Amino acid sequence: MATGAALAQSNVTLYGRVDLSVGNLKDKVKNTSTTQMFQGGEGGLTTSRWGLRGTEDLGGGLKAGFQLENRFNPDTGASQDPYFKGESSLSLMGGFGEVKLGRSRTVYHDVRALGESRDVFDSAFTASSNGVFKSGGDYASRFDNKISYYSPNMGGFYAGIDVSLDEKAGVSQDKYAFKAGYKQKEFEVALAHQNEKDKSDKYTALAAMYDFGSFSVSGAYNQRKGSAANGDDSEYALGVTVPVGAWAFSGGYAYSKTKDSAGGAKNGKASGFALGATYALSKRTRLYAGYRDVVVKNNVGAKTKDERLVAFGMRHDF
């Protein structure tokens, strides 16, 4: 009887996602054109994954939770590295909010994702992907050895903070991030900052989303302050999604500029344009098609990338 009571207060869920597409990737600069099968993170909606998550009711309003999430490439069956790349965490939750330990997404990444949420489904087709938003240097979407705190919802306002311990003797390169935002049913706006001392990069993002009912829009402004060698980035993104029954249509545009690098060596510009559509066969399975056009230019205006991606695929959640 005691065992049954204990089990009734706990739950563990197996979940996952498989995403595969077939399409063509063409780069005019390299003069290459490849028709291939893509795993979702390269030419689809999302990277495939499986995971375990669960909570235990500790009483007194407290809960313990865990999440382990593997990322894999279903086109080859290979697991991505590290094995639990998506998340490996342990949490304590209550009226005070949530304290989480381990590896998980940074609060800065949450805000970046908000700014691209209506830009072709925040996917591999999103206009800012594949070089547009990382011409000078890309941010870390997850931290290892991370201590996080997420506030409870306070009348629509929320906040969060991450500290990643460097754990190298004689080196002080701890990373941190924080966010603050406001969310209602149809509107959300948030500001975030991330400091990666190991790369001498500081990132700031301001993002918003508004759902008008018949369509929704998202937008973002991101800034990276980097080392003298890599310079600084300024990035802009805008997206719109229109639901029509089982269909959803989306488009997006993104632009970035790198400046102030030593001697102008890393300076440049990049832009992306994207279109996509999904069709829900059920609550868990959808078909999709996407198009992404990316152009990256160096400090003298020469193209270093002129790439087109077209792909058709299916995603199934379980």
Side-chain angles (χ1 to χ4, degrees):
M1 291 175 63
T3 301
L7 289 174
Q9 299 177 43
S10 304
N11 69 81
V12 177
T13 301
L14 170 66
Y15 68 94
R17 172 175 294 167
V18 182
D19 189 326
L20 281 167
S21 67
V22 176
N24 179 267
L25 185 64
K26 183 177 182 179
D27 193 324
K28 293 183 179 180
V29 173
K30 297 179 180 179
N31 195 27
T32 59
S33 179
T34 306
T35 298
Q36 64 184 87
M37 182 175 290
F38 297 99
Q39 59 95 352
E42 295 175 334
L45 297 182
T46 47
T47 302
S48 298
R49 66 202 64 181
W50 71 269
L52 294 169
R53 59 188 171 210
T55 59
E56 180 186 13
D57 190 342
L58 302 174
L62 288 178
K63 289 184 179 182
F66 79 94
Q67 185 171 356
L68 301 171
E69 185 175 285
N70 169 265
R71 297 296 179 90
F72 65 96
N73 302 334
D75 53 338
T76 64
S79 175
Q80 296 185 8
D81 184 51
Y83 189 77
F84 288 119
K85 184 177 182 178
E87 183 155 343
S88 176
S89 67
L90 189 63
S91 300
L92 184 66
M93 297 162 279
F96 58 86
E98 179 180 3
V99 175
K100 179 182 287 188
L101 306 178
R103 171 183 170 86
S104 62
R105 298 188 312 181
T106 71
V107 293
Y108 176 82
H109 176 72
D110 293 340
V111 175
R112 288 283 291 255
L114 171 66
E116 298 176 341
S117 58
R118 270 56 182 177
D119 183 351
V120 194
F121 319 111
D122 190 15
S123 65
F125 302 113
T126 295
S128 62
S129 63
N130 201 35
V132 177
F133 271 16
K134 51 186 176 182
S135 55
D138 202 13
Y139 73 101
S141 61
R142 289 167 174 77
F143 285 165
D144 297 334
N145 312 311
K146 182 162 74 75
I147 304 170
S148 300
Y149 169 72
Y150 312 105
S151 75
N153 185 300
M154 300 170 288
F157 291 95
Y158 61 85
I161 186 169
D162 300 319
V163 177
S164 172
L165 304 179
D166 181 67
E167 298 188 355
K168 294 181 181 178
V171 179
S172 180
Q173 292 185 340
D174 294 350
K175 298 186 282 286
Y176 66 83
F178 63 83
K179 71 175 180 181
Y182 177 77
K183 181 179 181 179
Q184 289 297 339
K185 290 183 178 179
E186 68 283 345
F187 174 70
E188 184 173 2
V189 61
L191 176 69
H193 180 76
Q194 183 160 302
N195 189 334
E196 299 182 28
K197 294 183 179 181
D198 56 333
K199 300 192 302 181
S200 300
D201 281 336
K202 298 178 180 180
Y203 303 87
T204 303
L206 176 63
M209 183 282 298
Y210 197 95
D211 189 344
F212 292 90
S214 58
F215 69 98
S216 56
V217 296
S218 65
Y221 169 69
N222 311 311
Q223 185 181 76
R224 180 186 63 85
K225 292 291 186 181
S227 64
N230 291 328
D232 305 326
D233 290 340
S234 295
E235 305 169 336
Y236 307 85
L238 181 65
V240 59
T241 295
V242 181
V244 183
W247 290 91
F249 301 92
S250 186
Y253 176 78
Y255 173 83
S256 72
K257 183 177 181 179
T258 302
K259 60 182 182 179
D260 298 331
S261 63
K266 293 291 185 69
N267 291 0
K269 299 178 181 179
S271 62
F273 172 74
L275 294 170
T278 65
Y279 181 79
L281 295 172
S282 70
K283 291 184 177 180
R284 297 187 299 168
T285 304
R286 66 178 61 186
L287 303 176
Y288 63 83
Y291 169 81
R292 185 192 69 211
D293 186 325
V294 171
V295 175
V296 180
K297 297 180 180 180
N298 61 18
N299 59 329
V300 295
K303 292 181 180 180
T304 59
K305 178 180 290 187
D306 188 353
E307 189 177 88
R308 311 289 184 274
L309 169 67
V310 178
F312 304 86
M314 182 172 74
R315 190 182 80 182
H316 175 74
D317 297 335
F318 62 87

